[in-house]
Every structure is written in C-alpha cells, then in structure tokens.
Amino acid sequence: MRILRSTIGPISASLAAAIVLSSSALAQATRPDPYLARALRALAAQPVIDGHNDLPWRIREDTVHPMDVEAYDLRKRMPGHTDIQRLHQGHVGAQFWSVYIPGERSDAAYRAKGAVASTPGYARVQLEQIDIARRVIAKYSELEWALTSTAVQASVKRGRVGSLLGLEGGHAIENSVNLLRTYYDLGARYMTLTHNVTLDWADAALDSARHGGLTPFGREVVREMNRMGMLVDLSHVSPGTMSNALDVTTAPVIFSHSGARALVDHPRNVPDSILARVPKNGGVVMVPFVTAFVNRAVKADDDEVQAQIAAGTRRHPGDSAAARAELDAWRAAHPRPKATIGDVADVIDHVKQIAGVEHVGIGSDFDGISETVVGLEDVSKFPALFAELARRGWTQADLEKLSGRNVLRVLRDAERVSARLKRGRAPSTATIEQLDGQSQRTLP
C-alpha cells in the first residue's frame, strides 16, 4: 500500500500541473486578440480597396478551362487566390481588377488566330481581357460596377465588392490617345504607364531607359488621363518616368502595386526621393504582397537563381537537361527564403514614414503572383496584416486610411481635376508622329 500511495502521489501532482498549464494555454488561445479586434473594427468601418488583382488573367490562363468565365466558378473554392467567399472573409469592399496583357510581342497571347488573321496587336488581347473582366463582374451579384468614388462607397454600403478596371501597361493603347479614351469608356480607371517593356513614349523599370522618362507624347498621355479622370499608375515605370509624370500631372497619381526601394533594392520598388514627392501630389503608394519586393533574402535568392541559370547554360551549351539538373541540385542545397507578414508591414511602415499615413494603400497583386507571403496566402488574409499593424501601434483611423480612405480621396480628387479640365480642354487629338517624330514609332 505504501508503494501504491507513493506512486499515485507524484502522478497526481504531475497531472494537476499539466491540467493547470493546459487550462492556462487554452485560456490564452481563446482570449480575443485585441489587435485583431481593432483591425476588424477598422475593416468594418472601411473595407479594403485593393489596387491590383489579376483574376482576369488567371481565368484566361486556367489550365483546365482557359478563358472560360462560366467554368471558373467564383462561388466555389478556386485554385487561385480569389473567390467570393474569401473576398468576404478578407473584408474586401472594392477591387481594381487588373486587365493585364504582356508587353512582350513574342508572348503566345499575340499569336494570330486563324490563317487569314493579320498580325494581331496589343489592342485585341486587351479587349479580350476587358471582356473577361466585364463578364465576371456581370455574373456575380456580389460584385458590381462602381466607376466613381461615390459609386464605390455605395457598393461598400450594400455589402458588395465595387469593381473597377486597372489597365496594366500603356502598350495597350498602341500609341493612340483615341484608344486610351475607349478603354476608359469600357471601365478602366487607371493605366499603368508601362509594364516591363520600355515603350515608344515611356521608360520601364525593368528595361532600358531610352527616353530618360517620358517623351512629349508620353506627357500628353498623362495630360489626357488627367482630363478624363483616369488615374496615372506609376508602378512598373522607371524613376525617370515617375519623376516626369509627377512634373506633368495635375491630379494625384497611384502606384498600384509597388514597394519601397530603400528596404528592398528591386527596380520595381519606389525610391525614397519619389516617395517624398507623393504628399505634395496627393497620391497613394499601394504596397504589394510580392515576395521579392518586400523581402531582401527572397530578392537575393531570385538574383542567384538567375546567375545559376546563366552559369549552367554556359557550362552546358545545348544541353538543357544537364543545366536543369545542376540548377535542381543547387536548389536542394539552398532552400528558398520565405517572406512574412512582418516584411509587408515593414514596407507599409516605411511608406508611412516617408510619404505619410495619408499616402499608403494596399495593392496585393493576388492572382498575379506564383508565390505568396507566409500568412497572406489569399484574399481572405487581409485582417491578419491589419492586426500586425495594430500591434505596431497603428490607430483605427490610420488603418482605415490604409484600407481604403486614401484611395477614395485620390479618386475624388482625380474626378474634381477632370471636371475642371473638361471645362477648358477638348479631347486630345495629338499623335506620336506630331509630338515625337515618325522615327520614334516602332509599334507595327
């Protein structure tokens, strides 16, 4: 009996201690997170207005049902980052749906459709993307057109996702302000002046700076966008183009999905010298969830991968299998770094520090990225980011500005500028030949 008592005693004490610890852990786990609560209050007052989601291109490129809006059912859990349920979970109130098209003319999207087709231009593919986006918005009662700041606010009040289009890449206008106006009429409320390829009239961040920024025709494009009320988007462009556009524009600009170059030295990010000019302009920098834009280690890894590919190609000319095997072996020995919510919050904090809390927003780039930030895997995860910022001391008013109030202000200001300019200026009839000279024009 003594042995039994001595054995039972310690076990009972251990069990009691374990129960106390488990109860404490459970209490902590079930206790409401005050920072998430603050984030949710902010998102209830002002849902997210996201500056960039590539869902139309994701639908176009779907491997099972390419370009099939009906088959890509947003009322189900879809393989990409976006569907109706997750939009609601993420407190998304409005979305600029990107109508991206590649800027590289060799891209498969530009292949002729049929033996008698002439060489297709950018406009055909752009119109196809606009058609996909418009059909998506028309299909779902949870989405609705909201092409003005007032309409966006009305959509939010109705609990719907106000929908606008963002035209990604000025190559789509094929050097024509007439096409620019047509895209506006079809729902485009911003245009990214370039994508990754330098145009006849604007330098891109990832290509050669042939013009030192904008040509005279490029400046005219900005002026015509101001007149129409189309936001000038300076993501993807070179610092020279950013600077020239800020010199010319009379309306606030946006950066629909760009980070801070001071934190991650990626050409797609915005230098501090430009961030410092944004407050005077009144614009907004919308921070993306692109891993290489927000995390230095990921950017360095991307650079090293490119170096390994180049070295493998040199070592194994004409033997892609050997070069691939070498790259796979290197990758196995060098695990891919991960970007985190904290990295994205760092970028947002930096933009806030340099440009001010009135000039920062969210431009996720969901469905345009193949790799996601840990904790920001899809459109349902916005509250987690806002909780992290609340944890860092952001007030509810600050969070509401970030989530959408800043973008609404920019839309309202652009509409006011447009109304004023339309009273004194007719639609532009300028051509690139008139302003830049025939030799500038290289598009077919």
Side-chain angles (χ1 to χ4, degrees):
M1 290 294 293
R2 282 193 217 104
I3 293 175
L4 183 59
R5 286 194 188 103
S6 63
T7 302
I8 291 174
I11 291 175
S12 300
S14 298
L15 283 172
I19 290 169
V20 170
L21 288 171
S22 297
S23 299
S24 175
L26 181 61
Q28 288 182 354
T30 57
R31 186 179 300 135
D33 179 349
Y35 304 110
L36 179 59
R38 187 191 302 168
L40 292 175
R41 285 195 299 271
L43 293 173
Q46 175 54 67
V48 172
I49 301 177
D50 182 17
H52 200 86
N53 184 304
D54 280 296
L55 177 65
W57 190 259
R58 175 67 182 80
I59 293 173
R60 182 190 187 95
E61 295 292 289
D62 185 61
T63 55
V64 180
H65 303 288
M67 297 185 73
D68 192 336
V69 170
E70 296 302 317
Y72 200 93
D73 188 352
L74 294 181
R75 291 206 173 96
K76 299 177 181 177
R77 177 73 178 225
M78 299 311 295
H81 306 134
T82 308
D83 52 52
I84 298 297
Q85 182 178 358
R86 286 183 286 175
L87 284 166
H88 287 319
Q89 290 171 343
H91 296 263
V92 177
Q95 181 67 64
F96 285 92
W97 301 106
S98 172
V99 282
Y100 156 78
I101 62 171
E104 298 80 6
R105 293 200 63 79
S106 59
D107 192 276
Y110 301 113
R111 290 176 184 159
K113 291 189 174 182
V116 298
S118 60
T119 301
Y122 295 121
R124 186 207 82 205
V125 180
Q126 184 63 84
L127 290 170
E128 289 174 353
Q129 286 308 106
I130 290 174
D131 175 67
I132 289 173
R134 289 174 64 94
R135 285 190 289 134
V136 168
I137 296 164
K139 180 179 177 181
Y140 300 98
S141 60
E142 296 88 347
L143 312 180
E144 69 179 9
W145 281 104
L147 299 182
T148 66
S149 58
T150 301
V152 168
Q153 290 175 296
S155 291
V156 169
K157 286 183 179 179
R158 284 191 287 270
R160 299 183 180 175
V161 179
S163 296
L164 317 84
L165 304 185
L167 196 156
E168 187 175 17
H171 51 285
I173 72 170
E174 297 193 13
N175 296 342
S176 168
V177 291
N178 305 71
L179 267 181
L180 179 68
R181 288 190 287 270
T182 299
Y183 294 141
Y184 180 87
D185 290 341
L186 290 172
R189 287 300 177 266
Y190 73 66
M191 182 175 77
T192 320
L193 296 187
T194 74
H195 190 243
N196 291 337
V197 177
T198 287
L199 308 182
D200 292 339
W201 48 271
D203 291 332
L206 299 183
D207 200 355
S208 58
R210 297 203 324 253
H211 314 295
L214 291 172
T215 69
F217 180 76
R219 290 175 170 84
E220 181 68 4
V221 168
V222 170
R223 284 188 286 266
E224 185 63 7
M225 292 173 73
N226 288 168
R227 191 197 65 81
M228 286 189 298
M230 181 185 279
L231 298 174
V232 176
D233 178 15
L234 299 181
S235 286
H236 278 286
V237 306
S238 70
T241 299
M242 295 175 191
S243 184
N244 286 173
L246 286 168
D247 291 341
V248 173
T249 186
T250 53
V253 303
I254 66 167
F255 294 77
S256 68
H257 57 309
S258 292
R261 197 154 183 178
L263 296 190
V264 181
D265 190 15
H266 194 293
R268 274 281 285 102
N269 287 338
V270 188
D272 276 1
S273 59
I274 298 295
L275 289 178
R277 295 185 62 183
V278 172
K280 183 178 180 181
N281 166 264
V284 62
V285 179
M286 308 176 85
V287 174
F289 304 163
V290 182
T291 58
F293 295 1
V294 300
N295 181 285
R296 287 193 185 101
V298 174
K299 167 63 167 60
D301 186 75
D302 282 351
D303 293 343
E304 185 58 32
V305 167
Q306 294 306 310
Q308 291 292 327
I309 291 172
T313 301
R314 289 194 301 270
R315 283 192 292 269
H316 305 284
D319 190 347
S320 59
R324 180 74 241 182
E326 216 173 65
L327 180 63
D328 290 344
W330 178 87
R331 178 82 285 170
H334 300 83
R336 175 75 166 168
K338 300 288 187 182
T340 67
I341 284 181
D343 296 322
V344 177
D346 287 344
V347 177
I348 292 172
D349 272 335
H350 185 82
V351 175
K352 178 186 175 187
Q353 177 186 358
I354 302 300
V357 73
E358 293 81 11
H359 305 285
V360 62
I362 299 293
S364 67
D365 209 4
F366 279 133
D367 279 308
I369 49 178
S370 57
E371 176 183 67
T372 58
V373 171
V374 175
L376 292 173
E377 290 82 8
D378 58 47
V379 296
S380 72
K381 304 295 186 179
F382 289 112
L385 173 61
F386 282 73
E388 170 61 23
L389 293 168
R391 196 169 289 112
R392 295 178 178 213
W394 282 55
T395 66
Q396 180 172 331
D398 290 343
L399 295 174
E400 289 178 24
K401 290 175 183 177
L402 172 72
S403 64
R405 297 205 189 282
N406 290 338
V407 182
L408 281 171
R409 172 184 50 76
V410 167
L411 275 170
R412 283 195 301 270
D413 290 349
E415 289 161 5
R416 291 191 193 105
V417 169
S418 172
R420 173 175 58 81
L421 292 177
K422 284 178 178 177
R423 290 194 293 269
R425 181 180 175 186
S428 175
T429 58
T431 67
I432 196 167
E433 292 87 353
Q434 292 169 340
L435 297 181
D436 292 352
Q438 178 67 37
S439 62
Q440 290 282 340
R441 190 170 191 180
T442 58
L443 288 174

